[in-house]
Amino acid sequence: MHKGLAIYPGSFDPTTNGHLDLIERGAKIFEDLVVAILRNSEKSPMFSVVERRDMLRELTAHLKNVRIDTFDGLMVEYAKSLGATCILRGIRAISDYEYELQMALMNRKLEPTLETVFMMPADKYSYVSSRLVREVAQAGGPVKGLVPEVVEQKLREKLAIGKQQRETRSIEILDRIDLGGKELNPKETKRKKKA
Ligand code: PNS
């Protein structure tokens, strides 16, 4: 086991079985592992940082040397502030390699004392990514076996809420069209919906 602290940074939107597999492998190799969720991602996330953090905490509760945290700004600065010596990243396929190599070399340029360590998740997860999981789930497809059960459940809840909100918005738009484009005040909208 490598003495010292490693960080595993990422978006985790949401955590997949591939992420979890990598965390479990990392926890066997590093004395301490901090899974760090980027807070200021430019992408508009499906899950809030708090939701992602809470899911990861639940999923890693059995791993005593793993902690979940969030960070902002430069990853190497955050890693240094924790006293980390390694950055853990997963590589699933050759397609990941180019981006990961670029990032690792940039991070090395920014902070030469930090070493990036790449690990491969189990091959059964080699095609699983958060982006594809979101896409499949949003289109109503099954994500069983691709994400942990708690994530599957949260995806279902999130998509049900989204559907409900879209339906409410459609009703409001139809109300407006009914009134020849005239805006309704909220009380009128409610009365009209009840009618
Ligand atoms: O899961 P992701 O989206 O592939 O993770 C990418 C992440 C969060 C590791 C990367 O974007 C990152 O470290 N962002 C923080 C800002 C930073 O340090 N950028 C320079 C990277 S070379």
Side-chain angles (χ1 to χ4, degrees), residues 9-12 19 38 43 71 73-76 89 99-100 102-103 106-107 110:
S11 307
F12 304 102
H19 288 132
L38 177 65
K43 310 164 203 166
F71 76 103
L74 265 191
M75 193 266 293
V76 292
R89 289 287 290 174
Y99 169 64
E100 291 298 332
Q102 214 178 0
M103 198 155 65
M106 178 61 84
N107 283 331
L110 294 168

Side-chain angles (χ1 to χ4, degrees), residues 58-155:
E58 193 176 333
L59 292 165
T60 57
H62 61 294
L63 301 167
K64 297 302 164 213
N65 59 340
V66 173
R67 239 172 353 107
I68 313 299
D69 196 9
T70 65
F71 76 103
D72 237 340
L74 265 191
M75 193 266 293
V76 292
E77 290 299 327
Y78 165 74
K80 257 199 319 185
S81 76
L82 292 187
T85 52
C86 287
I87 300 159
L88 173 65
R89 289 287 290 174
I91 289 196
R92 291 161 299 190
I94 295 290
S95 49
D96 283 339
Y97 181 73
E98 210 173 329
Y99 169 64
E100 291 298 332
L101 176 72
Q102 214 178 0
M103 198 155 65
L105 293 179
M106 178 61 84
N107 283 331
R108 180 182 283 166
K109 172 86 180 141
L110 294 168
E111 182 47 59
T113 62
L114 271 171
E115 210 56 64
T116 300
V117 175
F118 293 118
M119 291 180 82
M120 282 78 69
D123 57 343
K124 61 181 169 184
Y125 303 130
S126 61
Y127 63 95
V128 179
S129 71
S130 298
R131 185 180 64 80
L132 285 183
V133 162
R134 288 197 304 270
E135 211 171 293
V136 171
Q138 271 161 347
V143 291
K144 202 173 177 56
L146 308 180
V147 293
E149 267 174 38
V150 50
V151 174
E152 207 186 326
Q153 178 60 30
K154 290 272 179 210
L155 272 167

